[in-house]
Structure formats: structure tokens, C-alpha cells
Amino acid sequence: MEYLRLDGDALTLVFALEAGGSKHGAADCLYLGARLPEGEDLAALAQATARGRHENQPDVPPRPGIWPQHGAGWQGHPAASFRSVTGEAIAADFRLKSWEHDGSVLSCHFSDARAGLEVSTRWAVQDSGVVVCASEGRNMGGEAIRIEHLAALNLPIPHRFGEFTAFSGRWAGEMQETRQAIAPNGLARRSAGGKPGFGGGNWLLLHAGDETLGAHLAWSGDHDTRITCDNAGSANGRAVLQMGEALPEGGAIVPPEGTFGGPPVVLALAPDLSALAQTFHRHLRESVLPERAQWGPRKVHLNSWEALGFNLSEPALIALAEDAASLGIERFVLDDGWFAGRRDDTTSLGDWFVSPDVFPNGLAPLIDRVHALGMDFGLWVEPEMVSPDSDLTRAHPDWCLHIEGRERPTMRGQLALDLAQPEVRDYLFAALDALLRDHAIAYLKWDHNRDLFPSAAGQTEGFYALLDALRAAHPKVEIESCSSGGGRIDFGVLTRTHRVWPSDNNDAIERLRIIPAWSQFLPLEVLGSHVGPSPNPITGRRLSMDFRAKIAVFGHMGVEADPARMSDNERATLAAHIALYKAWRGVLHSGVLWRLAHPDPAVTAMMVTHAEKALTLVAQTALSPVFDTAPMRLAGLEPQALYRVTLPEPWPPKARHYLANPEGWRDGLILSGAALMGHGLALPLTHPETAWLVALERLPQ
Ligand code: GLA
């Protein structure tokens, strides 16, 4: 038995490996936790955690290890499953053959000579602190086989983790959290819509008190996420976390000498939720987001969707653009309805040419006006989809995903194109490339409003190939991943895009749940955060402009409402918050995010620290049971340093009257980090729908 370790700055993984070992855990992860001292005796660590055999267990008690499989008593889900092409199960018996250990990377190679299969699983600790895990293999036999399932990650969960938070959701209600015990039921989640979907099963948190392990499948297709608890049969109490791509029903054929693999899982371990978010954000910024270091300031958007819907015309759009510019907007995004015969959502997807009815002079006059107003121009597209009523369907009725001879059910009146077909991708590339070449388009909102059914092999790869080709041809164009809101958000799409649309729901109260949930994994600069209309079209709720605008500052800010329908006072309030966002985006989009706790469950607060500055958002959504809510305690400050604390104006109209010392808050109170973190700030938060921004500046020592 050999013991070896992988180290990051803050964590250590210890593995026990036995070459040629049997299937009782020949490769195991013994330890995942805070960084161990250099000289730690790993064999002693193994002994300290080893157990003997209990009654009614197999004679060699099975350990799932990092490549769990059946056949020796382990009753959970195997790491991989295979069948012959004609459908007989292959009872694989993988033995650990060899491994490579190179500082922060471990690759373990297993083989089953009889079944003619080789598999490898790789664990790599990255500089950001995350661990990236992936599995792959090869069919060495003389016949094709069918792979049904391959987990990228198989992690024996350290015993101290007793609970997990899973995410679920619906359209306009993404990332709802449920927290439950790991044992005895574990978890089984599988998506089948051809994208991560609103179900959120591609994100997971495991809890050991405050300590949290986060896991994410970096893939824009379907996922299979499981926690298997060993509480039957051998009952050694171990639970295994498995995550990987969900293959379409029936699996995938692997020819002789063919390889198989899948997307990686990204794991992060941290002492608490803030530190976990910070680790994921570091990883995104350093290794995922395209050319992140070269990004300029995230421009304030105005999107036409909730202002005009499908009622588009050149004069109406120019009027909207002029209004937008007067508020300080920097990018004007023309949403759905600009192309072909698309006057509502029943038609024309696939026909990506500018509608001569809506724009008799093309898009140029609008784009020129947008530029003259000092903004750049963005455009909505939904390339992977096709309307049955479209020139594209009439020309190529079989380019959509379908089963020959079966019905072709629609969703939002549309079908999905088969992106595994090169000619479909070529058509889309040519159409989008022409749009981008013929117009000065700085930004694409790339939508995807239908689940993929029937299921489609190669669709996600086709989507990536199309996106990669377009990005190579138009490297300056920024792209947003939207899928009816947050239906396709993952680190796979984020290696190719610059922001995501977290939800179609712009209601600020809903956003106070949705943005903190996404920001557990994603930094604020990629989270589109728009001021919507009041009443909100989805919830019907009316909220003050002050509240809506303050909430929207914490993200990539935009406006998705018609300024012409706002009062002068609302416009002034909105413009003031856009100015605040511009002053603070450097901090919000490069800084360190802190989740702040408050005893009142109706209070939500977040804070970002960066160099000598920090900005905090504190929001109340229900009537406080007491006149004076508990002071808000901050985080992430230097205890001994002094900070000037101000409340940037405009102040919330109702609550401002309760400020005891308005002048003090305007000029700035000088307080130590220790006082701010330990004692906090008593903000007037008695009323529902009140939000404050708190600005901090560290004074020179
Ligand atoms: C989807 C998007 C919306 C909007 C509409 C347009 O629902 O999520 O933001 O772009 O499509 O049809």
C-alpha cells in the first residue's frame, strides 16, 4: 500500500493506493481537509481511520474508494457501467494498474483485461484552491461496447459531512435551496432536458458545521449527481458523491480502440460559505472566464425586452435608446423580435436576417444612433432553435431534433436544431458571422428557450464548437448565456461567455434570493442584474425604484424597463444608482465577496472588499418585529485598521427619517474593522423593502 498526498495552499488530499489491488478499495481517498503539516505520517493517518470487519459484512469489507464498482459487496452506484452492443451487462472488475503523481496532480489507471477496458481518473489541485476531477477510458477489446454511465468524480465523503444543500428551481425561480441529512437517503438527481436546466442538480454543497465542500459539473448538457449512502448490506456508513455527464438513454457506443470521457467536476473546500464562494470566484477569474484579465468595466445595459416586448419599430427603439443614454446607460441591447417575420414568439427562429418590415433601412440607423449617444449595441439571438413556421424549416425540415416517423412536439412553439450535424452548424455560423460582420455588434444575448427532446447525442459538443468558431472569428464580441433565464449556467459555458442571465425574474425581492444563491459559485461581474418595471410582470409586485436599483447594483447592472413610463423622481433615482454602480463596479467586480449573517431572516446582506474599499448591500423584505433591527455586522476587514463609513445617497425615502445622525453618515463615521465586524452598524431596516448601501474606505495607517 502506498500513501500519497495532493496539496493546495489550504487543503490536502491523502490517497491510499495498492497496485494490482482487488476491488475492495485499491484506490481510496483517506483524507480531504485542511492542509496537513509537511511531515504528516500518512500510514499512521490511514491506521487512525481504518476499521476492522463487523458481523454480517463480506469477509473483506468493501470500500468504494475513488473507483467504486460492484462484485465485492459494494451496493452503491458504480463509477462506470457498460453493456455489450446487444445489451448484456458487462460485470467489469477494474484493478489499479499504475498511477502518476506529480505534485498537485494524481492520475490513477485501472484496467480489466477480461472485459478489455481501461479507465483513468485524475485529481488536480489548482492554484485557485479548487480540485478538478475527471475520468476517461478506452475500449481495448475487439468489439464495440456501450457505455451507459461514467462519473467524473467519485468521492468517498469524509464522515464529518452530515448534511447537504441541493438546488432546485423552475422558470423565474432558479436556485432554491433545500438542506437535508446525507444519511440515510442520499441524493439522486439527473437532468434530461439537454442542459443543466432550472433543476440546479449540477451544483451541490456538503456541510460539516460551517465547513463546506462545493461541487459542480462543468458542463452545459445533462448531469447525473448522486450521493450513495452505504446503509444497506455491508453498512459501513460511508457515503460517496458521484457526479458526471448523464448520457442519453441507451448510452453511447464505443468502437474497438475508441475512447470515452466526459466533462470535469470542480470541487472546493472551505471553512465557511464566504470562503467557498471566494475560492470558486478565484477559479472562475483565473481559469474559466475567457481573457478575464483583459475585461473592461462591465457596461450598464438597457435591454428592450420588458420595455417594448415585440412592439419594435425604429422610432420606438431610437426613443428608448435616447432615454437610456440620458440615464447613463452604456450598452443598448435589442432583444427578441428584430428578425424575419418574428412579430411574436410563434415564428421565424432560424431566419437570422433583419426584418425589412420593422427596419426598412436595416439596423444601421438604430446602431448609428446608439453609437452617437455614446453606447454600444447588443443583439438577442437564439441560434440553436428553429420555428416550424420558418424559411429554415421549409428548406430543411429534418435539421431539427426528431425521431423519424414520430410527432415533433414543440415548446414555446419551437423545435431544436441538431447541432451534431456539421451542415447545421455551418449554416448557423454563416448566419451569425454575417450579422456580426455587417453590423457593429458588441454583445450577443445567446438564448435557449426549449428543452432538448428527443434527447440528442453530440448536441452540447456541437454548441461549444459553434460558439468557439464564432468567438475565434469575432474575439471582441461579448456573449451572454441565457436560457429562459438561468437554465444553462455552468463553468463549461462560462469558458466561452462573459456573463449569464440568472433569471427572467427581475423582481428585486426574488433577486435577493437568486443573486446570493448564484454568487455562492459565480462572481458578481458575470451575473446580469437588471432594474425591472413596477409592477413586475412575473410577480405583479410593486417595489420602489430606490429598492429595485439598490439591489441591481450588486451584479452586472442593467435596466429592463421603459424609462418613458417612469416618473421624473424614479428616473433621477435610477440615474443616481447607475452612477453609484459605475463608481463601485471596480470594487464589486474584482473584489472578495462576503456573505453576511443577520439574526432577522428577512434581512439579506452581502459585502465586497477590494484593496482599501468595500461596499455592502443590506436589504430588508418584511416588517421587522422590533423597531430597531440588530446592527449589521460586517466581515473581511482588518480589525486594527480604521475605516470611514458612509451611506451613499440617495437614501431610501421611508427609512431615511429614522437615521439618528444623518450628517454623521454623510461625512463618514470613523470606526475600526474590529468594531464594524464585532459590533456592527444600526441601520434603519424596520420597514419592508428597504435597502441600504454602505461604503467603507480604509484610512492610511
Ligand atoms: C427568454 C429570455 C428573455 C427574453 C425572451 C425573448 O425568455 O430569457 O430574457 O429574451 O426569451 O423571447
Side-chain angles (χ1 to χ4, degrees):
M1 187 70 78
E2 191 164 320
Y3 301 101
L4 48 88
R5 57 190 281 173
L6 296 180
D7 292 301
D9 285 347
L11 97 172
T12 297
L13 293 126
V14 177
F15 294 86
L17 304 174
E18 190 186 354
S22 71
K23 55 190 142 190
H24 305 294
D28 203 358
C29 178
L30 295 183
Y31 176 88
L32 166 59
R35 175 141 185 171
L36 295 173
E38 285 314 311
E40 189 81 49
D41 180 343
L42 302 182
L45 181 86
Q47 281 172 29
T49 49
R51 300 222 171 105
R53 179 186 166 278
H54 286 271
E55 298 81 354
N56 202 245
Q57 283 194 310
D59 292 338
V60 180
R63 280 183 291 133
I66 59 169
W67 198 261
Q69 51 185 331
H70 290 160
W74 164 250
Q75 299 184 7
H77 201 59
S81 30
F82 306 89
R83 283 184 187 273
S84 70
V85 172
T86 48
E88 296 85 36
I90 296 175
D93 179 6
F94 289 103
R95 304 291 166 122
L96 180 62
K97 209 174 63 181
S98 62
W99 59 86
E100 286 137 36
H101 177 220
D102 172 15
S104 54
V105 183
L106 171 68
S107 297
C108 293
H109 309 293
F110 303 82
S111 73
D112 177 343
R114 199 166 134 197
L117 287 165
E118 289 188 348
V119 291
S120 300
T121 188
R122 184 175 189 273
W123 299 61
V125 181
Q126 301 207 337
D127 289 346
S128 60
V130 304
V131 186
V132 177
C133 303
S135 301
E136 59 181 22
R138 181 183 284 275
N139 175 11
M140 306 297 287
E143 283 172 35
I145 52 147
R146 201 180 276 277
I147 178 159
E148 292 192 313
H149 157 84
L150 174 71
L153 165 76
N154 296 277
L155 171 72
I157 299 171
H159 284 274
R160 66 186 183 281
F161 288 91
E163 294 187 326
F164 68 90
T165 297
F167 298 87
S168 60
R170 48 158 280 202
W171 171 73
E174 291 82 348
M175 293 301 268
Q176 322 223 12
E177 300 180 18
T178 35
R179 186 162 167 154
Q180 62 203 79
I182 288 177
N185 296 322
L187 171 78
R189 295 280 295 275
R190 197 173 195 278
S191 72
K195 56 181 182 176
F198 300 118
N202 53 335
W203 311 96
L204 198 67
L205 302 173
L206 306 184
H207 308 283
D210 285 343
E211 190 189 16
T212 311
L213 184 67
H216 167 60
L217 180 73
W219 178 239
S220 309
D222 285 312
H223 56 264
D224 187 322
T225 298
R226 294 160 196 259
I227 297 177
T228 309
C229 297
D230 182 15
N231 47 29
S234 55
N236 67 2
R238 288 200 83 167
V240 180
L241 168 62
Q242 295 171 305
M243 257 183 163
E245 176 186 1
L247 296 174
E249 199 149 324
I253 302 279
V254 188
E257 295 302 316
T259 58
F260 50 88
V265 168
V266 181
L267 273 185
L269 177 72
D272 57 38
L273 288 170
S274 287
L276 187 78
Q278 292 158 15
T279 304
F280 277 122
H281 298 179
R282 218 167 28 243
H283 174 63
L284 265 285
R285 286 169 175 167
E286 287 173 8
S287 314
V288 175
L289 297 169
E291 295 96 38
R292 172 69 185 89
Q294 273 103 61
W295 288 13
R298 310 279 77 207
K299 296 189 173 183
V300 186
H301 288 193
L302 185 129
N303 179 296
S304 68
W305 180 241
E306 290 197 4
L308 299 178
F310 285 106
N311 298 319
L312 302 181
S313 69
E314 190 186 292
L317 284 160
I318 286 183
L320 185 62
E322 286 168 352
D323 263 343
S326 73
L327 294 171
I329 302 286
E330 299 162 302
R331 173 176 291 153
F332 185 80
V333 182
L334 172 54
D335 208 281
D336 199 353
W338 58 268
F339 52 96
R342 181 91 167 167
R343 300 296 81 79
D344 59 35
D345 66 7
T346 63
T347 169
S348 298
L349 293 169
D351 301 345
W352 299 110
F353 59 87
V354 179
S355 163
D357 299 336
V358 182
F359 300 100
N361 309 308
L363 282 180
L366 173 62
I367 297 180
D368 289 349
R369 186 72 191 121
V370 164
H371 287 168
L373 289 163
M375 300 182 287
D376 68 24
F377 182 77
L379 193 65
W380 179 95
V381 289
E382 196 181 0
E384 297 145 275
M385 299 295 159
V386 64
S387 304
D389 174 17
S390 64
D391 294 349
L392 186 61
T393 295
R394 284 182 282 275
H396 301 283
D398 289 341
W399 274 10
C400 63
L401 293 176
H402 67 282
I403 299 171
E404 219 37 66
R406 302 281 190 197
E407 268 182 47
R408 300 178 179 192
T410 52
M411 178 168 167
R412 208 191 188 207
Q414 63 200 52
L415 296 166
L417 291 169
D418 181 358
L419 266 76
Q421 296 187 39
E423 59 272 36
V424 176
R425 293 201 302 272
D426 291 349
Y427 166 80
L428 291 173
F429 177 85
L432 296 169
D433 178 58
L435 266 178
L436 295 174
R437 270 191 287 108
D438 295 348
H439 303 94
I441 294 171
Y443 172 89
L444 288 179
K445 174 178 175 181
W446 185 301
D447 213 336
H448 184 281
N449 283 306
R450 183 191 187 275
D451 294 338
L452 301 184
F453 48 87
S455 65
Q459 186 77 1
T460 305
E461 291 87 344
F463 163 57
Y464 286 168
L466 174 62
L467 209 46
D468 290 347
L470 267 175
R471 288 195 53 246
H474 303 277
K476 293 215 170 76
V477 176
E478 285 181 29
I479 302 178
E480 173 182 67
S481 172
C482 172
S483 184
S484 312
R488 186 162 65 183
I489 298 184
D490 58 83
F491 292 2
V493 85
L494 276 166
T495 57
R496 303 163 163 90
T497 52
H498 303 77
R499 72 169 218 169
V500 295
W501 185 228
S503 180
D504 275 358
N505 195 337
N506 285 318
D507 180 310
I509 289 184
E510 297 299 316
R511 284 290 179 132
L512 273 174
R513 184 187 60 71
I514 293 169
I515 293 288
W518 284 124
S519 70
Q520 185 59 60
F521 302 95
L522 308 175
L524 294 178
E525 64 266 29
V526 303
L527 293 171
S529 182
H530 290 184
V531 176
S534 178
N536 178 279
I538 289 172
T539 63
R541 191 148 41 203
R542 287 174 196 276
L543 292 168
S544 72
M545 178 56 81
D546 186 82
F547 187 72
R548 280 179 280 151
K550 282 205 169 58
I551 308 308
V553 166
F554 265 63
H556 178 180
M557 191 179 184
V559 176
E560 195 149 342
D562 188 355
R565 281 181 253 166
M566 297 172 194
S567 68
D568 289 348
N569 193 17
E570 285 176 322
R571 290 165 71 111
T573 304
L574 179 54
H577 284 89
I578 288 173
L580 271 176
Y581 163 82
K582 289 179 184 170
W584 284 95
R585 63 185 158 192
V587 169
L588 294 170
H589 296 166
S590 319
V592 175
L593 182 82
W594 302 87
R595 299 165 61 107
L596 301 180
H598 191 275
D600 184 339
V603 172
T604 303
M606 300 182 273
M607 173 171 178
V608 180
T609 54
H610 180 56
E612 73 287 355
K613 291 191 170 179
L615 190 70
T616 305
L617 169 71
V618 191
Q620 166 68 289
T621 56
L623 185 70
S624 167
V626 293
F627 285 129
D628 296 318
T629 50
M632 188 71 235
R633 297 161 78 203
L634 306 186
L637 305 174
E638 287 173 36
Q640 299 308 317
L642 292 177
Y643 295 84
R644 181 187 305 281
V645 185
T646 53
L647 299 177
E649 292 176 90
W651 291 341
K654 262 184 301 188
R656 57 185 301 153
H657 305 297
Y658 299 102
L659 278 179
N661 174 17
E663 283 318 310
W665 287 109
R666 217 168 253 136
D667 300 343
L669 307 176
I670 309 294
L671 289 161
S672 69
L676 289 162
M677 294 191 291
H679 182 67
L681 299 169
L683 300 169
L685 286 167
T686 315
H687 291 285
E689 297 146 24
T690 300
W692 290 93
L693 293 171
V694 184
L696 287 94
E697 185 149 11
R698 193 178 61 214
L699 302 182
Q701 303 276 357

